[in-house]
Amino acid sequence: MLVLSVLLILAAVVLYFVARARASSPLRLGAIAALAGGAFFGIASCVYVVSAYEVGVPVLFGKVGTPMASGMHLKAPFTDVTSFSTRPVDLNLSDKDVVEVRSSQGGVMYVEVTVKWAVTPAKAVELYRLAGNETAIQQRLVYPDSREIIRNVFARYTSEQGYASDREKINAELGELIKERLAPRGIDVTAVNLRNVKPSEQLQQQIDRKIQQKEATERAVEATRTAEEESKRRKIEAEGIARANKILSDSLSDKVLMNQCIEAFKEASKKNPVYAVPCGSGSGNPLIVDGTGRN
């Protein structure tokens, strides 16, 4: 725009002298129009508008200036302004960028993570010096640092913790460490989402074998527990029967047994005559007991 302004001013000067030499009014009007256009583009080259949700970094002859917030700014004509978006950007570590990690046991897993980050406006100058533009920030800073931290964190956990039991804890730790690493560089990490952890084929086979062994052990333990409970039940039942027999044995004397025998004969003889033998250890002849009252 500045070059266009200079060219228009030069054209205006040339037209002015030609118009003066020829006394031509149309050329004078052309010179005035060219001069006005050159002035307009000259002023426009000194104004820069930073869009909403962006921050600008001015550079004049290699010298980096103060960050420019959203709005209209005056600048030197030769100042180049690089803009950075302050909106959150998603870095998706999946598909071809999936992170291959190893657990503390050596098991291989494939981790998918989304890192949501944004430029800190106050530190846009530092980011410009480190990367140069928004795409380079992600590729040179966010991408490699996030992958490194993910590998280091998973290396402190077992395979089972990594893909199952401690995923929430690992996700929180990833978010904290990535924020700590990138914040001093002017990158605000707003969220880290551990989306998926997939064991490798070899690790999956080990997991399946471990699950089968665990299930077999649980079945064996359950069978042992059931057998022990059945043995205890039978022992208690036998002890109860033994105590009952002992009580019954202690309470049945010869006299009691004889009385019970006589009562039994009497009860039975009420309906039909009974051929009775002597009760107990007493001696005597068998006899017929008739309690029916029939002649």
Side-chain angles (χ1 to χ4, degrees):
M1 191 174 291
L2 179 62
V3 174
L4 180 60
S5 173
V6 173
L7 291 175
L8 288 173
I9 292 174
L10 289 175
V13 172
V14 172
L15 288 173
Y16 172 75
F17 283 108
V18 171
R20 184 177 179 181
R22 297 182 180 181
S24 175
S25 297
L27 290 178
R28 287 195 182 97
L29 293 175
I32 294 172
L35 182 63
F40 172 78
F41 285 110
I43 294 173
S45 66
C46 297
V47 176
Y48 187 85
V49 177
V50 180
S51 302
Y53 302 104
E54 288 187 355
V55 60
V57 178
V59 181
L60 178 61
F61 301 125
K63 184 178 180 180
V64 182
T66 304
M68 302 163 64
S70 300
M72 183 179 293
H73 299 269
L74 294 176
K75 66 181 183 66
F78 295 100
T79 300
D80 183 27
V81 179
T82 301
S83 296
F84 295 93
S85 174
T86 57
R87 289 187 174 94
V89 179
D90 286 348
L91 170 62
N92 291 313
L93 299 175
S94 59
D95 299 329
K96 64 182 180 64
D97 293 323
V98 67
V99 186
E100 180 179 319
V101 301
R102 288 185 179 273
S103 68
S104 60
Q105 301 167 322
V108 177
M109 294 174 286
Y110 302 100
V111 179
E112 295 182 2
V113 177
T114 295
V115 180
K116 190 179 292 291
W117 64 275
V119 172
T120 303
K123 294 189 176 182
V125 172
E126 286 84 346
L127 284 173
Y128 177 82
R129 289 170 177 161
L130 287 170
N133 56 64
E134 189 171 324
T135 302
I137 291 173
Q138 178 157 296
Q139 293 300 319
R140 297 180 185 177
L141 302 176
V142 183
Y143 181 84
D145 286 6
S146 297
R147 293 177 68 90
E148 177 188 350
I149 292 172
I150 291 169
R151 291 193 182 99
N152 292 340
V153 169
F154 272 88
R156 296 198 291 268
Y157 291 86
T158 65
S159 300
E160 183 178 357
Q161 290 174 322
Y163 71 80
S165 60
D166 285 352
R167 283 185 58 170
E168 292 185 2
K169 181 180 178 182
I170 292 174
N171 189 74
E173 188 172 348
L174 287 175
E176 181 179 351
L177 293 176
I178 293 175
K179 288 179 182 179
E180 289 180 357
R181 174 75 67 86
L182 296 178
R185 301 180 180 182
I187 301 173
D188 180 24
V189 177
T190 57
V192 175
N193 181 21
L194 178 59
R195 301 203 320 269
N196 188 32
V197 180
K198 180 182 178 181
S200 64
E201 184 176 350
Q202 182 179 2
L203 179 59
Q204 186 63 55
Q205 292 174 355
Q206 296 175 358
I207 294 170
D208 292 341
R209 286 196 298 268
K210 185 175 181 180
I211 292 174
Q212 292 173 359
Q213 293 173 355
K214 183 178 180 181
E215 290 177 349
T217 301
E218 290 177 350
R219 286 195 297 268
V221 170
E222 180 64 21
T224 302
R225 186 182 64 82
T226 302
E228 290 177 350
E229 291 180 353
E230 180 65 18
S231 176
K232 291 179 180 178
R233 186 189 67 78
R234 291 180 179 179
K235 181 179 179 182
I236 294 172
E237 183 180 357
E239 290 176 349
I241 294 173
R243 285 195 298 269
N245 290 337
K246 186 176 185 304
I247 294 171
L248 182 60
S249 176
D250 293 341
S251 63
L252 295 178
S253 63
D254 290 342
K255 186 175 181 180
V256 172
L257 290 173
M258 182 173 289
N259 288 335
Q260 289 182 350
C261 179
I262 294 171
E263 292 297 325
F265 284 143
K266 287 182 178 180
E267 187 67 26
S269 65
K270 290 180 179 179
K271 295 181 180 180
N272 296 295
V274 176
Y275 180 77
V277 298
C279 294
S281 59
S283 60
N285 295 321
L287 52 85
I288 296 175
V289 181
D290 186 0
T292 60
R294 295 177 292 181
N295 296 324

